Amino acid sequence: MTDDGRPAGDSPREYRQARFVPPAGATQILLVRHGESRAATADDPFPLVDGHGDPELHANGREQAKKVGERLKGLPISAVYVTNLRRTAETAAPLCRHLGLDPIVEADLREVFLGEWDGGLMRIKAAENHPIMQRVRAEQRWDVIPGAESNAALDERIGRGLQRIAANHPDELVVAVVHGGVIARVMAMATRAEPFAFAGADNGSISHIVMSAESILVRRFNDCSHLSDGFGALRSQMT
């Protein structure tokens, strides 16, 4: 016998590196940022839905949506969620056609409410490097903008939306087509990072979380490997 109790001549037991296995009952969620939406102009503001800017996809965004559908169509996806803003439904449409699924609306995952700067004005103010926008970046909170949503309020409603999805899909894989600000907050909550640490997910990118009763695990952030160089390198916008 050897010192560790094995018969003489036996090979030592090997301990291989194990692959990740989701906890029992957990829900895997692929967070897809919607495709690029149309440009904002001062004389053509976005229509509003419950105060939120609701632009349609730009031609680039429609192409990104097709690429997302091609990337994900072979996965065992149980459901596709969108928000009440049209750019998410338009992005999800190619994937839903591939899968034969109707999208489910989860309005609590809609974009950050930007108060007086919603409807496209925030993009203009950001391009101008407006002093309030400088404060938003420095203080890492949206409610510097008059009437905008606080980080705490955003976290609370995002949490509600994610919990509903997880409760409906234990041990399943789902897709949620959402917004850049939402993805940033989910990642920051999961990793306890600074509020804007994950700002700027690319349009059409895929991030991957695993939700269990105990925690949110991050498996992937801003995967753009399905996008061409031209689309993957598009300058990221907030809404």
Side-chain angles (χ1 to χ4, degrees):
M1 299 288 290
T2 63
D3 291 341
D4 59 4
R6 290 181 291 106
D10 277 10
S11 299
R13 181 179 177 182
E14 295 183 339
Y15 296 86
R16 302 283 300 276
Q17 287 186 314
R19 297 192 64 179
F20 173 79
V21 177
T27 304
Q28 298 196 64
I29 305 176
L30 300 179
L31 298 170
V32 175
R33 188 183 179 194
H34 63 79
E36 182 189 359
S37 55
R38 76 161 167 95
T41 61
D43 59 352
D44 187 18
F46 302 149
L48 299 179
V49 171
D50 297 329
H52 291 257
D54 192 31
E56 70 277 16
L57 290 184
H58 185 280
N60 287 349
R62 293 192 293 273
E63 184 66 23
Q64 291 160 344
K66 293 177 184 177
K67 292 178 181 295
V68 169
E70 289 294 323
R71 171 77 183 275
L72 300 180
K73 67 182 182 181
L75 297 180
I77 294 166
S78 299
V80 177
Y81 285 82
V82 297
T83 76
N84 61 331
L85 301 176
R86 63 184 292 185
R87 55 198 182 273
T88 64
E90 291 176 358
T91 301
L95 176 61
C96 287
R97 286 195 293 270
H98 285 306
L99 300 176
L101 295 173
D102 293 325
I104 303 168
V105 175
E106 177 45 76
D108 271 340
L109 297 184
R110 65 193 178 277
E111 185 57 293
V112 181
F113 178 56
L114 296 172
E116 295 179 11
W117 282 17
D118 226 311
L121 183 58
M122 195 281 293
R123 294 191 195 176
I124 297 171
K125 297 296 188 182
E128 296 171 348
N129 198 28
H130 190 282
I132 290 179
M133 198 64 213
Q134 294 177 33
R135 283 188 58 201
V136 168
R137 297 186 182 107
E139 298 177 25
Q140 299 193 48
R141 59 188 184 93
W142 295 109
D143 58 353
V144 174
I145 299 169
E149 191 169 23
S150 69
N151 288 342
L154 179 61
D155 290 354
E156 198 265 338
R157 70 168 169 85
I158 288 174
R160 288 196 309 263
L162 291 177
Q163 288 295 339
R164 278 193 291 269
I165 291 174
N168 289 334
H169 301 281
D171 295 313
E172 293 181 352
L173 171 69
V174 302
V175 169
V177 183
V178 293
H179 306 267
V182 171
I183 293 170
R185 291 305 301 161
V186 172
M187 294 291 158
M189 287 189 292
T191 61
R192 297 179 175 84
E194 292 186 350
F196 284 16
F198 291 90
D202 289 296
N203 294 111
S205 64
I206 300 169
S207 299
H208 180 185
I209 62 172
V210 179
M211 286 198 64
S212 67
E214 292 78 26
S215 64
I216 302 176
L217 303 177
V218 176
R219 299 290 295 155
R220 187 184 327 173
F221 172 67
N222 201 48
D223 180 352
C224 296
S225 59
H226 51 292
L227 303 175
S228 68
D229 290 342
F231 289 117
L234 284 170
R235 183 176 179 177
S236 181
Q237 297 172 328
M238 168 61 190
T239 58

